[in-house]
Amino acid sequence: MLEEALAEIRAAASLEALQEIKVRFLGKKGRLTQAFKAMKGLDSEERKARGQELNRIKQAIEKALEEREAEIRAAELAAKLEREREDVSLPGLALPPGGYHVSTQILDELVEIFRRMGYQAVTGPEVEDEFHNFDALNIPPHHPARDMWDTFWLEDGHLLRTHTSPMQVRYMEAHTPPFQIVVPGKVYRHEATDATHEAMFHQLEGLAVGEGITLAHLKGALLTMARALYGEKAKVRLQPSFFPFVEPGVEFLVWWTNPRTGEGSWLELGGAGMVHPAVFKAADDAREKAGLPRVYENVTGFAFGLGVERIAMLRYGIPDIRYFYSNRLAFLRQFPRP
């Protein structure tokens, strides 16, 4: 019986055939089971010897079944892997390369221009408190200038910053002059959107503080920026304007030659001026409250801010600021990073 069972097990080609062999030899009505039942008529010595022999046969059959089952399963798995094998040498699907948004490109270019002039780039929170966004910048409650910066307020009294200028005071609270910084980042305003207004856009803030700083230094920095952007023939003009956190305040314009038409014109790029004494006082008051010495009573400084999207619109002739954030790939792909 054993040799017969082992021969059939070795010849089994599938798990189903193996199961049939198992039932035929070890099942309730199997041959080995019947052999165990037939021992009833034997005396004790014969029953003991016959039982040991049948148990040896049973263990050998069970072991052979287990080994052959493992062999069949391994063969089936290998066949399945071969059928479903993927050729990893084939090229995959080509994904379109990403790129930098046109606003990011202009912002990076501006930051690099000022880094070459010795400025450090710093960033600040986009969710601001009322003190840094308004009060510390000489814009107290009910000041009419707040109407220019209508914004989005949060339930806890914070707001989405309306300009990058809050970093002026934040930086001065933790640092002593002299220093020169630029602050790139997003700003938010509750605007009625149109071709030149959007609820979210980017600004670049500049701040230089030290002894003896004048408007001449401001104009020199802006002229260097303008020539880096528009060529060595670019000129800068300052004209009087009002911003609560500078005194005197100016708007700065650049003489720009349109490469498409060859015509030149003055273009307003942003606002600037000498840091207002009230802003220095707010920074010193905050420092004193934090246990730091007052350091801004005998220094001067200038600040400026400009819109990044406006520069991109002028450079590329983009007629509508809303194009920047409409997520149209056909528009964005026109401005690959060089």
Side-chain angles (χ1 to χ4, degrees):
M1 184 193 309
L2 178 59
E3 293 301 326
E4 181 184 353
L6 293 179
E8 290 189 20
I9 290 171
R10 285 193 295 268
S14 66
L15 294 176
E16 291 78 8
L18 208 60
Q19 181 64 23
E20 291 178 1
I21 297 170
K22 182 177 182 180
V23 171
R24 187 160 63 252
F25 284 93
L26 302 180
K28 289 182 179 181
K29 297 181 179 180
R31 292 173 61 181
L32 195 61
T33 304
Q34 296 303 318
F36 274 111
K37 290 180 179 180
M39 291 191 307
K40 292 180 180 180
L42 302 176
D43 59 38
S44 59
E45 289 297 326
E46 291 178 328
R47 188 183 302 116
K48 180 178 178 182
R50 182 61 173 166
Q52 289 176 347
E53 181 185 2
L54 293 178
N55 279 325
R56 180 182 63 81
I57 293 173
K58 180 182 179 181
Q59 292 173 1
I61 292 175
E62 288 177 341
K63 182 179 179 181
L65 286 169
E66 183 180 338
E67 291 176 349
R68 184 57 182 158
E69 180 181 356
E71 291 174 357
I72 293 173
R73 289 188 182 279
E76 290 181 348
L77 177 60
K80 182 179 181 181
L81 291 175
E82 182 62 27
R83 290 194 308 271
E84 300 178 0
R85 182 172 65 90
E86 292 188 11
D87 187 352
V88 295
S89 65
L90 294 175
L93 297 176
L95 298 176
Y100 288 94
H101 192 280
V102 59
S103 296
T104 302
Q105 295 182 39
I106 298 295
L107 199 55
D108 288 349
E109 182 179 349
L110 288 168
V111 169
E112 182 58 29
I113 290 170
F114 281 97
R115 275 180 175 159
R116 292 198 298 265
M117 286 190 272
Y119 285 70
Q120 177 186 0
V122 299
T123 57
E126 294 179 18
V127 177
E128 264 294 0
D129 55 55
E130 186 175 1
F131 171 76
H132 288 95
N133 198 83
F134 291 123
D135 298 339
L137 295 173
N138 200 32
I139 314 175
H142 311 300
H143 192 291
R146 287 206 181 192
D147 293 340
M148 299 168 57
W149 288 285
D150 193 13
T151 188
F152 301 93
W153 291 86
L154 307 181
E155 292 183 355
D156 63 358
H158 285 73
L159 64 148
L160 300 184
R161 67 180 180 186
T162 58
H163 44 183
T164 46
S165 301
M167 271 304 293
Q168 292 185 29
V169 177
R170 283 191 176 275
Y171 194 84
M172 286 192 285
E173 287 174 355
H175 298 81
T176 58
F179 54 76
Q180 299 177 122
I181 63 169
V182 286
V183 186
K186 297 176 185 175
V187 298
Y188 305 84
R189 295 183 188 175
H190 188 193
E191 296 274 11
T193 59
D194 56 30
T196 57
H197 297 85
E198 183 56 277
M200 187 280 293
F201 53 98
H202 292 79
Q203 279 189 342
L204 183 77
E205 186 85 10
L207 176 67
V209 177
E211 293 184 6
I213 291 181
T214 68
L215 273 176
H217 296 102
L218 168 63
K219 187 172 183 180
L222 296 176
L223 181 60
T224 302
M225 177 196 72
R227 288 179 173 172
L229 288 173
Y230 302 114
E232 288 301 315
K233 294 184 178 180
K235 297 179 289 185
V236 169
R237 184 173 73 183
L238 305 181
Q239 61 187 31
S241 187
F242 171 76
F243 302 99
F245 36 89
V246 289
E247 181 61 35
V250 297
E251 292 175 344
F252 59 93
L253 296 82
V254 172
W255 180 260
W256 175 72
T257 301
N258 190 322
R260 297 179 181 178
T261 64
E263 297 180 355
S265 60
W266 286 106
L267 297 173
E268 178 195 344
L269 288 189
M274 301 300 292
V275 178
H276 198 289
V279 177
F280 282 141
K281 182 178 184 302
D284 262 341
D285 289 347
R287 288 175 59 84
E288 190 173 55
K289 188 175 180 180
L292 298 173
R294 303 177 72 89
V295 294
Y296 290 100
E297 294 176 349
N298 298 310
V299 296
T300 57
F302 65 75
F304 62 86
L306 54 91
V308 175
E309 284 80 1
R310 178 167 176 77
I311 293 178
M313 293 172 75
L314 294 173
R315 173 176 291 182
Y316 297 114
I318 301 171
D320 195 318
I321 193 173
R322 292 170 292 191
Y323 291 175
F324 286 92
Y325 307 109
S326 61
N327 296 324
R328 292 185 59 191
L329 291 178
F331 169 76
L332 297 174
R333 284 172 178 157
Q334 297 178 82
F335 314 104
R337 189 162 194 164

